[in-house]
Amino acid sequence: MSLIINGESISKGICIGQAVHIDKNNIDYAPSYIKKSQIPKEVEKFKKSLVSIREGYEKSRDKVKDNATITKLIETQLHFIEDKSFQKNITKKIENNLYTANWSIATEYQKIENEFKRIEDKYIRERLIDIKQMVISLLDFLRDSKSGSNLKKVNLRNKIIITDEITPKEIIDIYYNHVSGVITSHGSKSSHSAILSKSLSLPMMVKAGASNNIIKDNDLLIMNSENNEIIINPDQNEIKYFKSLDNKNTSLVRGLRKILKKKSITNDGKIIKIMSNIELSEEVKFLDKNCDGIGLYRTEYLYMNRCNLPSEEEQVLAYKKVFKRMIQKTVTIRTLDIGSDKEVSENIKAGDIAKNPALGLRGIRYSLVEKNIFKTQIKAMLRAGYNKKLGILIPMITNVNEIYMAKEIINEAQIELKNERKKFTEEYMLGIMVEVPACALQADILSKHVDFMSIGTNDLVQYTLAIDRIDDEVSNLYDPTEPAVLNLIKKVIDACNKAGIDVSVCGEMAGETFYTKVLLGLGLTSFSMHPQVIPEVKSIILNSDTKKIRKAINKILKCGNRIMRENLIKNL
């Protein structure tokens, strides 16, 4: 008889394979000392481990050098072990306290862990997972310098790995060893390892707490991401059913790719614009040529995981890469949006640590405090957008005064560029992110001062329902279909249509097929989403009749029962 346990799925798909346990030598806090005469040898041992880990990560990075997103994540991991203060603290413990390298690393991690526990922002706290993974890699190497990893000791082909946690480097290594999937008892959906597995389309489940104790080596497993289930030792009927479902899904994906070449027109002749969201300039080379443009270029990665600010020239080069690929299509670049779930280096931060980051100094608020940082970015955008179609998107707007102040700084940037005799565009579109209810409620007023609006549904839902979307205790209450949320979205769309300006949705709702027809029914004609989900969303749009959907949408807007509301949406 089969047994079912649960985890949290990272990517879609079905995975079938035999289990293999990879025991991770976790962090050992037991005290261990050396003699004074052993100091030079122990310091050298630590330094060698850093070099070896770096070399290992660099080899893994070379395997995926064509994937800029993954390369960036690996470099982020390396940034931690290359941190001079971390290395100095370990060396001091060896030299002054006569600790072994292992215990020095363990005690230093313990100090870091305690510091992270005092941080209220859950997203930032979860970055501790990435640090812990690197620490475990170091300790594994020090304990077994010949192999450096338990992954090399077993045949992993077509197996499903069971472990406590896994590092980004190991994700890359097992991917190239043709592993079928990964199940971890701990971890986070926002960890670098999870992000890597998603980018590589490697099936992964995290937080499957019972997996280490219940699953045995060579057990046959089925990972069903749709239901967040792991079926242990399934019977023949279950195996047959899931293999059939997997084959069906594979055929469906192949068919959807052909849809990209078709024009985005609904059955009733409505033209719909479908654009892409990107986070790194290098990602643009992976976009399909039929993409209608960049609806959201998040610039935070230019500022994250570094000790200095990106220069104007560095930003110009990054933005130009995107314009070059998009030719004469619109590229909408969002100005720096840090705070809440966006982490940057300490020297870039302004003010004290916020007691509630989601309500603190973020988005345009930060930019208006750090005007020089904001102006440098604007100058780079204007220069990169010369003779191109540039959209400048301002996040976290709550009132018209913030738009006035943003425009004033943009004007100052233009004057400075003229004085510096640099080429720049004087024709750009200025847009605002609608993320705060205050912004949505006065959309009719704000629409008179901008060229377009972009609805960030992730934050709009969070602020409207007073729910932290990354807090497990209330995440079940996060519901984009709440009438309060849908009516705000409709209000913004109606206001923009009346003012004759463009409006799009760039939040997660745009890329989730369940909401596609709802958004069409609310009058939306412009979507922006992660490139991977475009085919599926486009397929639904091509087979939709917006006139029929609009007739049914009022029932959904007035329905207070979530189950009934979701059933109405399914029947659109």
Side-chain angles (χ1 to χ4, degrees), residues 323-340:
F323 281 111
K324 187 177 180 181
R325 175 74 176 183
M326 287 293 103
I327 311 174
Q328 284 302 310
K329 293 176 181 176
T330 300
V331 174
T332 301
I333 308 176
R334 187 174 69 186
T335 59
L336 181 59
D337 184 18
I338 65 167
S340 187

Side-chain angles (χ1 to χ4, degrees), residues 252-270:
L252 183 63
V253 169
R254 286 173 184 163
L256 287 171
R257 285 175 185 158
K258 297 177 183 177
I259 287 174
L260 288 170
K261 297 177 183 178
K262 296 183 179 181
K263 291 185 178 179
S264 302
I265 303 174
T266 62
N267 283 337
D268 57 323
K270 199 80 174 176

Side-chain angles (χ1 to χ4, degrees), residues 237-389:
N237 289 330
E238 288 173 318
I239 294 169
K240 186 178 179 181
Y241 170 76
F242 281 104
K243 278 185 176 178
S244 171
L245 193 60
D246 189 32
N247 291 334
K248 185 179 177 182
N249 289 344
T250 302
S251 299
L252 183 63
V253 169
R254 286 173 184 163
L256 287 171
R257 285 175 185 158
K258 297 177 183 177
I259 287 174
L260 288 170
K261 297 177 183 178
K262 296 183 179 181
K263 291 185 178 179
S264 302
I265 303 174
T266 62
N267 283 337
D268 57 323
K270 199 80 174 176
I271 297 172
I272 307 296
K273 191 186 290 185
I274 302 178
M275 299 176 290
S276 293
N277 295 345
I278 63 170
E279 297 191 14
L280 296 167
S281 59
E282 289 84 356
E283 286 181 79
V284 75
K285 64 185 176 185
F286 301 112
L287 298 184
D288 186 88
K289 64 181 180 180
N290 297 296
C291 167
D292 291 326
I294 304 297
L296 174 63
Y297 175 8
R298 299 181 177 97
T299 58
E300 288 72 53
Y301 264 105
L302 282 168
Y303 295 79
M304 295 168 75
N305 305 306
R306 58 189 295 159
C307 300
N308 59 345
L309 290 162
S311 67
E312 182 182 321
E313 296 301 325
E314 182 184 344
Q315 293 185 65
V316 170
L317 290 173
Y319 304 149
K320 276 187 174 179
K321 284 181 186 176
V322 182
F323 281 111
K324 187 177 180 181
R325 175 74 176 183
M326 287 293 103
I327 311 174
Q328 284 302 310
K329 293 176 181 176
T330 300
V331 174
T332 301
I333 308 176
R334 187 174 69 186
T335 59
L336 181 59
D337 184 18
I338 65 167
S340 187
D341 59 349
K342 322 280 195 324
E343 184 187 4
V344 295
S345 301
E346 287 294 331
N347 66 313
I348 299 176
K349 293 180 182 178
D352 298 325
I353 294 174
K355 291 181 179 177
N356 190 333
L359 303 180
L361 195 67
R362 56 170 300 201
I364 187 61
R365 300 172 184 180
Y366 175 88
S367 294
L368 293 176
V369 170
E370 296 291 338
K371 292 182 182 179
N372 288 335
I373 295 175
F374 183 53
K375 191 188 292 182
T376 299
Q377 185 174 33
I378 293 295
K379 288 170 75 174
M381 289 181 186
L382 294 172
R383 287 176 60 193
Y386 180 69
N387 284 336
K388 307 292 182 183
K389 292 184 178 180

